Amino acid sequence: RALPTVAVGLAAGLAICGVALILFGEGIFERFQSVERSSEVRTELYEQVLQLIQLRPLTGFGGGTFELAFPLVHQLPVNLDFNWDRAHNTYLTLWSELGLIGGSLPMLAVAIIGWRTATVPRGGEVDWRSRCIGLGAIGVAAVHSLVDFSLEIQANALLFVAMLAIGFPIRRQSGTA
């Protein structure tokens, strides 16, 4: 009895995808063609950010100063006409702004939260679905931060913290007040 409903839903989904491809397909295909060049530019950008980190490896240049500090090492082949206000790699941004020690502290904090979330004993206060949300958020954010700056956007960072809080195990005190 569900076959007609599934067929209509499938047809509607294919129709929506077709319309989206007609309207936005050219931009999508252009993006696929530029991915190889984009990866070359990012590699060159990352090399220059590493040079920036080498200038002040322990102290960095200060939180939020990437845009001001990057011109110290900015050179060709990275586009000189473009204002590089982000490193397109959250880890490199943290290390260039806060130094290797200070920039590693947020990563260490997330690793500790991930460890606590993953090692909570069975039957704890947080069920497995909530833990999966937290651990999944850590995994996605950790990988995506290698090639972009999504956690440097305030709304994304707040959503990330909220997802970590959902999965974080808590210990309730026993007894009555």
Side-chain angles (χ1 to χ4, degrees):
R1 290 189 298 178
L3 185 61
T5 305
V6 171
V8 168
L10 183 61
L14 288 173
I16 290 170
C17 288
V19 169
L21 191 59
I22 290 170
L23 294 175
F24 306 109
E26 184 177 335
I28 293 171
F29 290 121
E30 287 176 8
R31 176 69 178 146
F32 282 138
Q33 292 172 352
S34 69
V35 166
E36 183 178 338
R37 176 66 186 137
S38 177
S39 66
E40 291 173 12
V41 169
R42 294 247 176 138
T43 302
E44 294 160 353
L45 173 65
Y46 296 161
E47 289 173 359
Q48 291 183 16
V49 174
L50 288 172
Q51 293 172 4
L52 183 65
I53 294 169
Q54 289 174 349
L55 293 176
R56 292 190 183 170
L58 294 179
T59 61
F61 288 88
T65 61
F66 180 82
E67 182 178 5
L68 301 172
F70 184 65
L72 294 172
V73 295
H74 189 190
Q75 59 191 352
L76 288 174
V78 176
N79 188 349
L80 297 174
D81 296 330
F82 186 74
N83 182 18
W84 293 93
D85 60 344
R86 308 223 190 260
H88 293 270
N89 181 315
T90 301
Y91 305 110
L92 292 178
T93 299
L94 285 170
W95 290 328
S96 67
E97 292 180 354
L98 304 175
L100 295 174
I101 297 170
S104 297
L105 292 178
M107 294 176 251
L108 180 62
V110 171
I112 291 170
I113 290 170
W115 179 258
R116 289 272 322 270
T117 302
T119 60
V120 66
R122 291 183 187 216
E125 295 294 325
V126 178
D127 72 328
W128 66 271
R129 291 172 290 243
S130 298
R131 291 186 356 220
C132 287
I133 289 171
L135 293 172
I138 290 172
V140 169
V143 172
H144 192 259
S145 292
L146 287 169
V147 294
D148 215 347
F149 54 87
S150 59
L151 289 181
E152 296 174 45
I153 298 170
Q154 188 176 9
N156 295 344
L158 292 173
L159 178 62
F160 178 64
V161 170
M163 294 175 83
L164 291 181
I166 288 171
F168 192 73
I170 58 171
R171 185 178 301 171
R172 294 201 175 133
Q173 296 178 354
S174 59
T176 57

